[in-house]
Amino acid sequence: MHSSASYDTAAAILPLVGGPANITSVAHCMTRLRLGLADRSLVDEEALRAVPGVLGVVDDDTYQIVLGPGVVGRVTPEFEALLTAAGQLAARGAELKEARRARNATPGKLLLRRVANIFVPLIPALIGCGILSGINGLLINLGRLTGVTPALTVLSAAFMSLIAVFVGHNTAKEFGGTPVLGGAVAAVVVYPGVAKVTAFGVTLAPGQGGVLGALAAALLGTYVEKWSRRRVPGTVEVLVTPTLTVLIAGLATLYGLMYAAGEISTAIGAGADWLLSTTGVVAGFVLGGLFLPLVMLGLHQALIPIHTTLIEQQGHTVLLPILAMAGAGQVGAALAVYVRLRHDTSIRTTIKSALPAGLLGVGEPLIYGVSLPLGRPFLTACVGGAAGGAFVGGFAMLGERVGATAVGPSGWALFPLLA
């Protein structure tokens, strides 16, 4: 049984994007319904923006309709059900989507999106475990519920200890390999037995290289798997290909990738420390000011590997609190618009509905529903984010670090995660 509001929204959107025959793929992230379209000229964008509940649209490698957190998760199943009922989801959809992507995206942009596709599915676990970690840290600091905190430590840390396996699984899936083989190869990175292996004269440590090592291992495993499937006869391929994939990619991980990724991870941590300790105000100003445009383009998810690497290495990411200031700038700009445009009931209604999400660090509803359509408020939001980033970055120059123990929430939801 469907929700009436969600069904009505889905039913209103479908004809405005060209109808079922024009849809080649359907997906969603935290705030956006992402559609692959065969012919974008069939979209009635003006009418689409006027649909109640639609906060904005983004014409990118996929056509993205901003609905906001929670709402998009309810509308997407209704939209898919309408497509299924119509029987118009063409088999050629995937090919058309790839052709469209090839024509409209640079290789660098596509690579960033593929990296984001690996890490975005991990965000719910990162958020859940991060919140538990924050609560646990608060209880430990207060000396309360000492019988419960060890269990909370396990619950909050277990996922991070095995995140390499999930990264490997998603990497293989994204690049066309067998997901479980990607996970199997990436598991080498976190297996305790690697402490008995020596590479380049150095004894390896479990977790060395972290998510970067897992990503590289799964990529190599996917390449080996595809190479083997093209050359091994079908009668023995089911036995030979998995064995070769794990053997070749696994040995390469042990005797090269873990060491190299470990050095890169160390360099990322040292680089972040140097950047903030020497140019904290300037670096914070630039990072805070540029983050909203990254969110607008959907490229901000590509920063997750860097955040995750810093958390694995240092226990926190010093970049997230700086970048979160962009959301604060966005909220400030929206509040200013709300005060100034007292007689514009439409924009004030949009602000009231999108502001709670903005306060929790989800900026897309305010970006596409308020500041970007108005123009200048988007620029002032970026300036506000830059000012906040400079303020947070200044602490690092004074020897005081502000970091987040998990990736995902920002805004008010970030407070329990701050270290």
Side-chain angles (χ1 to χ4, degrees):
M1 185 174 180
H2 53 239
S3 163
S4 177
S6 301
Y7 176 82
D8 291 345
T9 301
I13 290 173
L14 184 56
L16 299 178
V17 293
N22 198 37
I23 310 297
T24 63
S25 67
V26 180
H28 75 90
C29 58
M30 290 181 66
T31 58
R32 310 178 191 185
L33 174 64
R34 296 171 179 261
L35 303 178
L37 301 179
D39 184 356
R40 298 198 183 193
S41 67
L42 299 178
V43 176
D44 186 345
E45 188 164 305
E46 184 177 349
L48 188 59
R49 290 179 181 273
V51 172
V54 172
L55 303 174
V57 298
V58 181
D59 192 349
D60 206 344
D61 61 321
T62 56
Y63 195 81
Q64 303 169 17
I65 302 170
V66 184
L67 298 172
V71 176
V72 69
R74 295 190 294 271
V75 171
T76 302
E78 301 288 359
F79 192 86
E80 291 174 327
L82 288 171
L83 289 175
T84 301
Q88 297 291 331
L89 190 58
R92 60 190 181 91
E95 297 177 4
L96 291 171
K97 177 185 175 184
E98 290 304 317
R100 173 68 65 175
R101 179 178 295 176
R103 289 194 299 269
N104 289 283
T106 63
K109 189 175 180 181
L110 286 177
L111 178 61
L112 287 176
R113 293 198 180 282
R114 299 194 82 167
V115 171
N117 289 341
I118 293 168
F119 287 90
V120 166
L122 304 180
I123 288 179
L126 289 168
I127 292 175
C129 295
I131 294 294
L132 288 178
S133 177
I135 293 172
N136 190 46
L138 183 62
L139 291 175
I140 291 174
N141 290 338
L142 295 175
R144 302 289 181 87
L145 301 178
T146 55
V148 175
T149 51
L152 289 178
T153 299
V154 171
L155 295 177
S156 61
F159 173 74
M160 286 303 300
S161 69
L162 295 174
I163 191 173
V165 179
F166 296 96
V167 169
H169 178 280
N170 289 353
T171 299
K173 182 179 180 180
E174 176 65 22
F175 285 89
T178 302
V180 72
L181 288 179
V185 174
V188 171
V189 174
V190 294
Y191 180 61
V194 300
K196 298 179 181 180
V197 179
T198 300
F200 300 98
V202 178
T203 301
L204 297 176
Q208 185 173 336
V211 295
L212 299 182
L215 186 94
L219 271 175
L220 178 59
T222 299
Y223 174 82
V224 172
E225 179 188 354
K226 290 181 176 179
W227 178 89
S228 177
R229 292 197 189 282
R230 289 195 301 266
R231 289 167 174 77
V232 176
T235 53
V236 294
E237 188 269 332
V238 70
L239 300 176
V240 173
T241 295
T243 304
L244 284 178
T245 299
V246 174
L247 177 64
I248 296 174
L251 289 175
T253 300
L254 286 172
Y255 292 103
L257 295 179
M258 283 184 67
Y259 178 84
E263 293 298 304
I264 294 173
S265 298
T266 301
I268 289 175
D273 289 341
W274 177 86
L275 184 67
L276 293 180
S277 61
T278 57
T279 64
V281 172
V282 175
F285 185 89
V286 173
L287 292 172
L290 293 179
F291 192 62
L292 280 180
L294 286 179
V295 174
M296 182 184 70
L297 296 172
L299 299 178
H300 59 298
Q301 306 292 3
L303 296 172
I304 297 176
I306 296 177
H307 291 313
T308 308
T309 297
L310 290 173
I311 291 171
E312 285 184 322
Q313 187 183 91
Q314 302 179 352
H316 58 266
T317 168
V318 293
L319 298 180
L320 185 57
I322 291 176
L323 300 176
M325 293 299 99
Q330 178 64 78
V331 168
L335 289 173
V337 170
Y338 187 86
V339 172
R340 290 293 300 275
L341 301 184
R342 293 184 176 89
H343 304 296
D344 192 329
T345 56
S346 176
I347 197 70
R348 285 166 66 94
T349 299
T350 300
I351 292 172
K352 284 192 290 186
S353 63
L355 196 59
L359 290 170
L360 293 175
V362 181
E364 287 94 336
L366 287 174
I367 290 175
Y368 296 112
V370 181
S371 63
L372 198 58
L374 295 175
R376 191 162 53 186
F378 182 75
L379 298 179
T380 61
C382 291
V383 173
F391 180 79
V392 176
F395 282 101
M397 298 185 71
L398 298 175
E400 297 291 338
R401 297 300 172 87
V402 181
T405 57
V407 183
S410 58
W412 288 358
L414 187 64
F415 285 112
L417 307 179
L418 291 179

